[in-house]
Structures are given as structure tokens and as C-alpha cells.
Amino acid sequence: MTPMPWHEEPWALLKSRRERGVMPHALLLAGPAGLGKRIFLDRLARALLCQAPVDGDACGRCKACLLYAAGTHPDRATIGLGLRKDGTPRTEIVIDQVRELSQRLAMSSQFGGWQVVSIDPADAMNTAAANALLKTLEEPSRETLLVLVADAPWRLPATIRSRTQRVDFNLPAADVAMAWLEAEGVSDAATALAAANGNPGQARAWAAQGQLKARNEVRNDLRALASGRGDAMEIARRWQAAMPPAYLWFAAQAVAEESRARARGREAPLGSALDGFALDAWFASANRAREALRGPLRTDLVMLELLSTWR
């Protein structure tokens, strides 16, 4: 992957702190999905664990780097959603996982240097897990870095956020994003970037997955429902069978454009009969529906409820 230029500033900041020996014991990498937070984390972890770093980056050749590349470095660990005892995927990070993490951090580094442990996605910790993490954050071990990765950092308790140094990943300028997408070989980068509301990583992912066609499909579906030609249940099933979060994103985006067109006295592209307040409410509902997909609710029912109110 072409290096992400918007990483340069936070990387320089942490590199300076490493050189001065004042690295924080806990970081919160925060920002929208698609901006490379996990790529940044991987680069940072490699650099800290490397035995012979070159200009602040991992050398890629020492024993530590080779172990890291093989996924067997004893001083690198992460906890994520994982699986339940019955083999089904979890939807949250639970207290037992955090307790195991705390026990690990209580032990010394096997290589005699840094230990790097990450929680990803940190915003999926339930309340008990977050409370259990507080003690670890309040009693940091020497040369131990705990990295929390969160696409939605506002879900984390304030007590957790206040005990970490936050590194924000923000949307880059349009010209920077376009240059990166073109270097990545994304065709029609301008359309992809517009579909992703300026998020280049998301634009790249949707282009690679063929999701940009879905953007037009969503608009056609909403237009059909508004005119009384579409069937909400059939559309809900089709969206649910594809990539629901992307479809809901495109739906919210289309309705936002409809609302702006109305406000400027222009012809509304979707032809909805909803008034301005109802359009704003539907936009908010579409975003809440995307959030609801993170939980145990049935996707088809979430979609059907939303589309029924549009019709």
C-alpha cells in the first residue's frame, strides 16, 4: 500500500517522543475507519520492538522483526472481539479478556525492551471491561505501551479517554487524498472520494469491492420508493444480502443531498414527499441503523423499518 501522507504528522510527534524517552504509556488512535489507524499501529509496534531501528523505523532484519513478521513476537499482543465458547463471534470485548491482558502486562518483557499491547476495537469494550482496564491505565508498567484503536472514540468512557494520549486521524485535504488514490490505482478516484465523503481509505475499499455501483443502486431504490414503484421488503432483503453498512451510508448521503437541494430551491433528485424536518429525521435514522447493525438486531428488520418510513 502506498504510504499514507496524513500519517506523517502523528508519526513525527511520536518519533520525537521516543527519541526523548518520554513515550506515553497509553495511546488512543482515534478517527474514522479507512484512515489507516491499524497500519500506523503496526508500524509503531514494529519500530518499538525492533532491535536495530533505522531512522525511527523497524529494520525488518533483526530477530525481533522476523518474529514480528511471523506473528510470534512474545512482547506483542492484541485483544479483539474474538469468539465465544460456542464458536460464534463476539460483538463486544468482555472483562475476562481485559483481565488476561492485565496479567500479561504484569510480567516482564521477554526481550528486555518494550511490550506493545493493543485493544482493537477499543470502542467495543463493554462497561465491565472498560472499568477493569482503568486499573491497568492508572498503574502503568515501565516500557509498556497500551494502544487503544477506536473508530468511534466517543463510545469510550471519559475515564478511559482521559488516561490515554489521543492521536487523531483526520480526513486529509482533497488534493492529498486524490493523489494517494491515484497512486493506489483507483479508477475514477473523484467519484470514489465523493462517495466516501472525502475518506480516501474508505474510497479505496469501496472501489476495490465494487461498491460504487451500489451508490447508484441505492439512489434508484429510494427514488422508486418515493414514487410508489418500489417494494420496501424486496429492497431491504437485497441491501441486507449485499453490504448493509455501505448501503446505509449511501442512503444517508443521498438524503443529505436531497435536503441540501431543497434548501437551495433546486429540484430534489430523489423526489421524496417528506418535508425538510422529516428528511433530517430520516438521515439521523439511517445513521442510527448503521450503528444498530453492530449489535444483535436482525439486519433485514432494521432495513425494512427504515425503508418503510421513506416510502
Side-chain angles (χ1 to χ4, degrees), residues 255-272:
V255 171
E257 292 174 10
E258 178 99 343
S259 184
R260 286 195 295 270
R262 294 265 195 90
R264 294 168 183 168
R266 298 175 182 173
E267 182 179 354
L270 301 178
S272 171

Side-chain angles (χ1 to χ4, degrees), residues 243-296:
M243 187 178 286
Y247 276 63
L248 290 175
W249 170 278
F250 294 143
Q253 186 184 61
V255 171
E257 292 174 10
E258 178 99 343
S259 184
R260 286 195 295 270
R262 294 265 195 90
R264 294 168 183 168
R266 298 175 182 173
E267 182 179 354
L270 301 178
S272 171
L274 299 178
D275 62 25
F277 290 109
L279 283 176
D280 291 344
W282 200 92
F283 173 84
S285 295
N287 287 321
R288 284 197 299 272
R290 276 197 304 127
E291 293 294 309
L293 297 186
R294 293 166 55 96

Side-chain angles (χ1 to χ4, degrees), residues 36-60:
K37 297 186 297 298
R38 291 157 185 89
I39 294 171
F40 186 93
L41 165 61
D42 184 69
R43 181 185 180 189
L44 178 61
R46 287 175 184 271
L48 287 174
L49 297 175
C50 177
Q51 296 168 313
V54 180
D55 192 25
D57 269 302
C59 70

